[in-house]
Amino acid sequence: MDRRLIAIAIVGSLLSSCAHEKNNPDVEIPATSQPTTLPTTQPLSKVIARVNGEPITQDELDKPLIEGYGLNVLLNLVQLDLARQQANRQQITITPEDIKKEQKLTVDKMFEGNAGPDADSLLDQFLQQQHISRPEFDLVIQTNAYLRKLVQPTVNKSITDNDLKLAFAAMYGETVKVRDIRLSNPQEVAEAKRRLASGETFEQVAREMSRDPITRPLGGELPPFSRQSVAVPQVFREAAFSLQPGQISDTIESDGAFHLIQLEQRTPPAGVKFETVKETVRKALIDQRTQLMMTQLRNQFRQTAFETLEIDDPILHQQFIHRINGQEGGTADKKQIEGEIKQDRSTSAEPPATMPSR
């Protein structure tokens, strides 16, 4: 049995035990004619295995599993429980079919619709590589199924014809492809300009000087973007669309860094009419906004958990305190959440699947 699968069972056992204790007051011991003799030692823990005839008990297994995996599993359980509570307040129900659909959506995004009949084995391989057990993944899928149903009514009401036209322009309008050199200070900008002026290619200077760890190995190459693309800062878009192919921009300041960009290519608008692809655009926009709002709601639940969660188990409680202290009493967690929301706003219509809490 997977070690973290056992951990999930343990945490579930702890939670159900807590619920049982809350619902069952202390039981009075009936009076008898003879004094009651209380045991001097605690009952032996359940024996779950033996080696060379020597027993291994449940207690011996519980402690290392809770220490190793308990808090992460518990936090995923808490997010699922908070999602259920919200759904109950809104009289929203989730069926097994909803959960199956959520898993299919996630797997299709993970493998870009190419998993086919091997979807289960590919998913198992991926989870193994990420050190995530299948039960943990299933917890997140259940949570996402609730989140999707919770945000869908708001998403559907929020999309206007103007939104669709802007999304159409972003998906089918003129696009540009640029290379970018991200630099830390004016001195680096001056050095990059000197090297470019001496005849070195933009791609070479980007590979050797850019501070962007993602685009640096690509010679600064960025994915194509349109004038309406929200994934690219406005100042960046304005500079890119003002250039001619091969031309290099003046220094651009954005996101606390300095940039030089070179226009590689312009692609004219696709010969597609809005009405022809309107429903395709609507579907993509709904998916994009749904993912964004699911992330925002999940982050709200996470913050609620950090502010209100009470843990009785001493090991899990200590882990939780360390986690909070590591995030400066919740301040860092808030900053992280704001950063994730900002990042989600700049993702495409098909962001990566959400993984369990780590």
Side-chain angles (χ1 to χ4, degrees):
M1 181 180 289
D2 185 277
R3 290 177 297 178
R4 280 188 274 181
L5 171 56
I6 302 172
I8 290 172
I10 291 169
V11 174
S13 168
L14 289 171
L15 295 176
S16 62
S17 295
C18 292
H20 177 77
E21 290 172 4
K22 289 179 181 177
N23 295 325
N24 292 274
D26 295 337
V27 179
E28 296 183 1
I29 302 174
T32 63
S33 58
Q34 299 295 329
T36 302
T37 302
L38 297 177
T40 57
T41 59
Q42 294 296 324
L44 292 176
S45 175
K46 177 183 176 182
V47 176
I48 60 172
R50 290 179 176 83
V51 58
N52 286 334
E54 293 295 322
I56 298 173
T57 67
Q58 183 76 42
D59 285 346
E60 290 177 286
L61 184 64
D62 285 358
K63 187 173 182 293
L65 287 174
I66 291 177
E67 287 179 343
Y69 310 107
L71 184 61
N72 286 332
V73 175
L74 177 60
L75 293 178
N76 278 309
L77 283 169
V78 166
Q79 287 196 25
L80 175 57
D81 194 60
L82 289 171
R84 282 190 183 125
Q85 292 176 28
Q86 183 72 18
N88 288 337
R89 285 192 289 270
Q90 295 181 211
Q91 298 182 335
I92 291 173
T93 59
I94 296 296
T95 67
E97 187 62 30
D98 291 325
I99 295 172
K100 287 181 182 178
K101 287 181 180 178
E102 188 65 38
Q103 177 166 319
K104 186 177 186 305
L105 279 172
T106 302
V107 172
D108 284 347
K109 289 179 184 292
M110 289 169 64
F111 300 107
E112 299 180 350
N114 296 321
D118 298 326
D120 282 341
S121 60
L122 289 173
L123 177 59
D124 287 338
Q125 290 175 23
F126 175 82
L127 295 178
Q128 186 176 6
Q129 291 169 359
Q130 300 299 317
H131 305 290
I132 298 169
S133 70
R134 187 62 178 261
E136 284 181 284
F137 177 77
D138 290 343
L139 279 175
V140 173
I141 292 299
Q142 291 179 58
T143 303
N144 286 350
Y146 278 99
L147 294 173
R148 188 175 297 277
K149 271 208 169 180
L150 284 166
V151 305
Q152 272 180 343
T154 303
V155 171
N156 292 337
K157 291 178 182 178
S158 71
I159 295 177
T160 66
D161 282 343
N162 188 54
D163 292 331
L164 292 175
K165 289 176 181 178
L166 289 174
F168 169 76
M171 292 173 65
Y172 296 96
E174 181 184 27
T175 61
V176 291
K177 183 178 179 181
V178 304
R179 293 186 185 272
D180 169 42
I181 304 175
R182 180 187 177 99
L183 302 161
S184 298
N185 53 58
Q187 291 75 25
E188 290 185 354
V189 173
E191 175 61 13
K193 287 184 175 180
R194 184 194 66 77
R195 292 180 60 175
L196 292 169
S198 69
E200 293 187 53
T201 66
F202 195 94
E203 180 178 353
Q204 180 181 352
V205 176
R207 288 182 186 277
E208 296 179 6
M209 289 195 65
S210 180
R211 297 289 186 173
D212 189 322
I214 297 176
T215 64
R216 178 174 179 161
L218 304 175
E221 183 177 328
L222 295 175
F225 57 88
S226 70
R227 291 180 185 271
Q228 290 78 25
S229 177
V230 296
V232 181
Q234 182 176 353
V235 63
F236 218 87
R237 282 177 275 150
E238 290 175 351
F241 278 92
S242 70
L243 299 174
Q244 297 299 319
Q247 190 176 3
I248 298 174
S249 71
D250 292 330
T251 306
I252 303 168
E253 293 187 43
S254 178
D255 296 330
F258 299 88
H259 298 263
L260 296 173
I261 63 174
Q262 182 182 50
L263 180 62
E264 291 266 303
Q265 177 182 335
R266 280 180 181 267
T267 303
V272 178
K273 292 183 179 180
F274 172 68
E275 293 299 330
T276 304
V277 295
K278 183 176 180 179
E279 291 310 309
T280 300
V281 173
R282 185 190 302 277
K283 182 179 178 181
L285 188 56
I286 287 175
D287 184 63
Q288 186 178 26
R289 290 196 179 178
T290 297
Q291 292 293 336
L292 171 61
M293 293 188 68
M294 286 171 64
T295 297
Q296 292 173 331
L297 186 55
R298 183 187 300 107
N299 288 333
Q300 290 176 24
F301 290 155
R302 182 192 305 170
Q303 193 65 26
T304 299
F306 273 86
E307 293 171 354
T308 65
L309 183 60
E310 299 177 6
I311 303 177
D312 295 334
D313 180 83
I315 296 175
L316 290 174
H317 177 76
Q318 192 62 33
Q319 290 178 347
F320 188 61
I321 294 301
H322 286 164
R323 179 75 62 91
I324 292 176
N325 289 340
Q327 295 173 344
E328 300 177 352
T331 301
D333 187 65
K334 182 178 180 181
K335 290 178 181 177
Q336 177 185 357
I337 289 171
E338 291 173 348
E340 289 174 357
I341 292 173
K342 182 178 179 182
Q343 181 179 6
D344 260 272
R345 286 175 177 157
S346 66
T347 55
S348 65
E350 295 189 354
T354 304
M355 289 291 101
S357 296
R358 285 280 161 215

